[in-house]
Structure formats: C-alpha cells, structure tokens
Amino acid sequence: MAYPIVRMRRLRGSETLRSMVRENRVSLDDLIYPLFAIYGENVKNPVPSMPGVYQMSVDNLVRECGEIVQLGIKAVLLFGIPEQKDEIASGAYDADGIVQQAIMAIKKAYPELYIITDVCLCEYTSHGHCGMIQGDRVLNDPTLHYLAETALSHAAAGADMVAPSDMMDGRVGAIRKKLDSHGFGHIPIMAYSAKYASAFYGPFRDVADSAPQFGDRKTYQMDPANGNEAIRETALDIEEGADMVMVKPGLAYLDLVRRVKDEFHYPTAVYNVSGEYSMVKAAAQKGWIDEKAVVMELLLSMKRAGGDLIITYHAKDAARWMGEK
Ligand code: PBG
C-alpha cells in the first residue's frame, strides 16, 4: 500500500481545529420562524401532527414574539386562519383581517422583529385552492388581482416583506406593480419560486386549515420530477422583480437549492416544511434519533446546499441549542 502523504484526518484531530476549518455554519441570522394567527382571545391550539407548533390568537402571538426576540431570532413568517372562508378569499386582503391584526400588534410590541407574510389565498378560500376557481379549474389571471391586494394589505399593516406562495404565473410582477404604485416600492418580495406539489405539506394543512376541498395543487405547484423547470420558474420570478427566491420543500430538494444558487447567485431561502419537521419529531419522540443532533445536521445541510435563509419550525429549539454552546 502506498504511504499516505496526504492525510485528511490531520485536520480532524480536535474540536478546535475542526471548528477552524469548518466550511459552513448555521447562525441565528439564518432562521425564520413560521407563526399561525387565529381569531380569539388567549387561544393556543396545539397541532397534533406538529408537536410544539400552535395556532395562536394575537395576544398569545405577541407573547410568543417576546420569546422569539429573546432567543435572538430575527424574523418570522406569518400565516393566518380566518374566521370565515368564501370563494374569493375576502379574509386574505381585509384591512382588519387576522394577519393584518397580527402584524400591527407584533410591530407595536417588537418593532425590531422582521415580519415576513405568506401571501396566498388557500387558507381563506372555501374550496381551499390558492386561486379563483371556475368549475374545477384554478384560474390564473383573475387570481393575480387578489394576490396583489393581499400583499398590499400586508404592507399597509406594517409587514417588512411579502412572500407569495401561490404559484400562479405572473404573481411576482403583479405584486411588485401594486406595491410600487401604492408607496411600497421599498418592500422586498421573497418569492416561493421553486415550490413543488409535495406530500410533505400534509401537517401544514392541519395547522393552516388549507387542504383543497377537491382535486390537488398539481396544476399550479411543480412536479417533483422536474429540475430544469425550477430554474425557469426562478428566472421568471427574478425577471418580475423578486428580491429573494425560495426552494420548497427543503430536504428532498437540496439539489435544487444548489442549482438555483449557482445559477442566479440570489439570496436563496429554503423551506424546511411541516412534513420534514413531523418526521423528525415523531422519530425523536420514539427515542429513535437524537433530536438536537439531527436537527442541527439537517439545518447545516441546507446551508451547505447553498441556502442563505432557512424557514423552519425548529427555529426556537435551534436557537436555544446554539445559545448553549
Ligand atoms: C400556502 C402554503 C403552504 C405551505 C406554505 N404556504 C401549503 C401548500 O402549498 O399547500 C406549506 C408549508 C409547510 O408544509 O410547512 N400555499
């Protein structure tokens, strides 16, 4: 056997040295924590499929944000569960809607906490689709107006950034135009660019009460088999004015995170979605994996793949663990 001149193990000899040659790190700056606002007072509904995640009324959300700020997390992604749903998602762009109320209350209490809002209609439509429908078809162009109105109402309530997650063609351009013409030219858009029709969203639909009442989302979200299409989707969002792009889900799509990052060099977010969270939680509860080690390894994998920001339900735990060392 040839004498090994190069010994890779030399640089692995101690934790000090390993930390000196470490290529990637997860930091508090990377984490975005999703929150779910619901009407009522002192409501905190647990979500059985997502231990540790709750639907919260605005008063409790504000309290939660206190904890989030304390932990050093800088940004939240806000979702809303309306009281009533209808065909045209009225609750989504209501100036006094649940997300709009939550934004105002959180901003008042913690102005430094960065609020990103999910811009979509599926939580607000009676049929549970992300757009207007005609028969069993989800219409594209008529939906754009409602998405733009939703984004505008979020910005008007004080949101720092909007994140369209609907996957209608042309939504980023429609939102950009609407924001710009109403004095919100400074509000950035984080586009869910490569968003796949994924089974990993299952638990989210329990917490956001947003399961489609008929059919599925395959006519607007992407086919999991496709990679080149993600590049085209992302290119279009950038052309239309997206400031940041996103790949969603995360784990099963890390190849796309790398491709999107290498292709565009844009700030790239990764959504570590509900199903990914639930799998880890379930295995940890059974004692089959070391939750802390597994979560930190997963988050690190998203950074290594090229992700800049990670939207994750593990954010609070991760922040706590990072603070421990
Ligand atoms: C809204 C939306 C969804 C998610 C984020 N925004 C659900 C969906 O597209 O069905 C999923 C997030 C998660 O699973 O954690 N369209």
Side-chain angles (χ1 to χ4, degrees), residues 79 118 120 122-123 130 165-166 192 195 200-202 204-205 210 217 221 248 271-275 313:
F79 294 89
D118 183 89
C120 198
C122 59
E123 296 101 324
C130 306
S165 70
D166 53 283
Y192 285 70
K195 177 172 176 179
F200 284 99
Y201 307 153
F204 173 92
R205 292 174 190 171
S210 66
R217 303 210 202 287
Q221 298 179 349
K248 178 185 175 200
Y271 203 137
N272 176 212
V273 301
S274 57
Y313 305 98

Side-chain angles (χ1 to χ4, degrees), residues 12-20 22:
R12 298 176 195 148
S14 70
E15 177 49 28
T16 302
L17 185 53
R18 286 192 296 275
S19 73
M20 288 164 65
R22 193 158 287 148

Side-chain angles (χ1 to χ4, degrees), residues 130-147:
C130 306
M132 299 300 115
I133 59 165
Q134 190 169 59
D136 61 0
R137 274 199 324 131
V138 178
L139 305 175
N140 194 88
D141 296 9
T143 300
L144 300 180
H145 163 75
Y146 297 97
L147 290 168

